[in-house]
Amino acid sequence: MPELVYPPVIATAKTLFRVLDLRLTVDGDHHVPRTGGAVLASNHVSYLDFIFCGYGAHASRRLVRFMAKHDVFAHKVSGPLMRGMKHIPVNRAAGVGSYNTAVDALRRGEVVGVFPEATISRSFTVKELKSGAARMAQSAEVPLVPVALWGTQRLWTKGRPKTLTRRHTPITILLGEPMDPAAYPDANTMTAELKTRLTALVDRAQQEYPDKPAGPDDSWWQPAHLGGTAPTLQEAAELDRRPRRSTAS
């Protein structure tokens, strides 16, 4: 079936990258296989991460089918786009169905994108990971590619106002070596190794990032262990336990 929605969406995104003069750094994109199924497992610091994670597969000419909350598919604007791009809705009340849909897509040779932290990390460090990405890779017998994103939080993240027109923002996309699911005895062991690799990639992205906070008022996007004012993992967990607001925050 021809791709009628995804290519124009990609073209629009690339145009916006140019208009905003985003300073994109992509490294390791050759790790995305040009054919066959694969899982891309990314850290999660921004509501826009799926755009940049997907861009990491662009050089391999692959279209990534992301797993996303069912609510996004119900929206009158985003819903038709998500369905047209063949992304995979996740209904947490019926998670087995979403999981099976993703595994079927992998077995058909699709690339599936997953955020194993499940929600945005307010600390901008890697949280505990869910095992779903590893379980899918093992069930479908496809490689799992770790992806680290950095800088995307400066455009739009949890608890901060949107700055979608911010210009000249550096965005880093690092893709690690594929993980062979056959090398791990179970999904928990593979997930632990994924966290180790993902943390190392995020650390590298942070250390090599060309911008530094302009001052105390601009240090919110920097993690606490690097001198920023982002909450620690423990503080972020407490924030996540608070009652949710009606709007994204």
Side-chain angles (χ1 to χ4, degrees):
M1 185 178 296
E3 297 284 350
L4 300 178
V5 178
Y6 221 142
V9 169
I10 291 174
T12 300
K14 291 170 70 175
T15 298
L16 289 174
F17 294 169
R18 290 192 294 270
V19 169
L20 296 176
D21 191 29
L22 298 182
R23 293 150 55 193
L24 295 173
T25 297
V26 183
D27 186 61
D29 48 1
H30 61 283
H31 290 311
V32 179
R34 290 185 174 270
T35 60
V39 177
L40 299 189
S42 174
N43 70 313
H44 201 7
V45 294
S46 169
Y47 291 111
L48 304 177
D49 284 341
F50 70 97
I51 297 173
F52 296 99
C53 181
Y55 188 76
H58 183 66
S60 295
R61 300 183 181 277
R62 303 303 303 272
L63 300 177
V64 183
R65 316 301 179 181
F66 283 96
M67 301 187 74
K69 291 180 181 179
H70 183 268
D71 294 351
V72 181
F73 291 79
H75 192 274
K76 63 180 180 182
V77 176
S78 62
L81 290 174
M82 297 294 283
R83 289 188 291 273
M85 289 185 281
K86 303 174 187 175
H87 294 315
I88 301 168
V90 176
N91 185 341
R92 292 181 180 176
V96 173
S98 304
Y99 174 87
N100 290 338
T101 299
V103 171
D104 288 344
L106 291 167
R107 288 173 174 160
R108 292 196 307 271
E110 299 277 12
V111 177
V112 173
V114 181
F115 297 103
E117 294 170 283
T119 58
I120 287 174
S121 172
R122 296 176 188 259
S123 69
F124 307 135
T125 58
V126 179
K127 301 193 296 184
E128 289 302 313
L129 307 184
K130 306 293 185 183
S131 63
R135 288 190 290 112
M136 288 190 297
Q138 291 189 325
S139 293
E141 300 180 335
V142 300
L144 187 156
V145 180
V147 183
L149 304 174
W150 191 248
T152 58
Q153 75 273 25
R154 301 176 72 186
L155 300 176
W156 188 16
T157 192
K158 187 179 287 187
R160 300 290 305 185
K162 301 177 190 177
T163 53
L164 300 179
T165 57
R166 193 180 193 283
R167 291 174 54 78
H168 317 303
T169 305
I171 302 293
T172 302
I173 306 167
L174 303 180
L175 297 96
E177 293 185 6
M179 300 172 63
D180 180 358
Y184 302 92
D186 53 56
N188 288 336
T189 304
M190 190 175 184
T191 300
E193 176 63 15
L194 172 61
K195 186 180 180 186
T196 297
R197 295 192 186 197
L198 204 51
T199 298
L201 283 173
V202 171
D203 286 347
R204 176 188 155 197
Q206 292 170 345
Q207 295 292 341
E208 296 178 356
Y209 194 67
D211 277 7
K212 302 298 179 186
D217 292 341
D218 186 48
S219 64
W220 62 267
W221 56 270
Q222 192 83 310
H225 73 276
L226 293 179
T229 56
T232 64
L233 268 174
Q234 294 78 11
E235 291 167 344
E238 177 59 33
L239 289 170
D240 286 338
R241 283 192 289 267
R242 293 178 182 177
R244 296 180 61 184
R245 299 177 182 178
S246 57
T247 57
S249 59

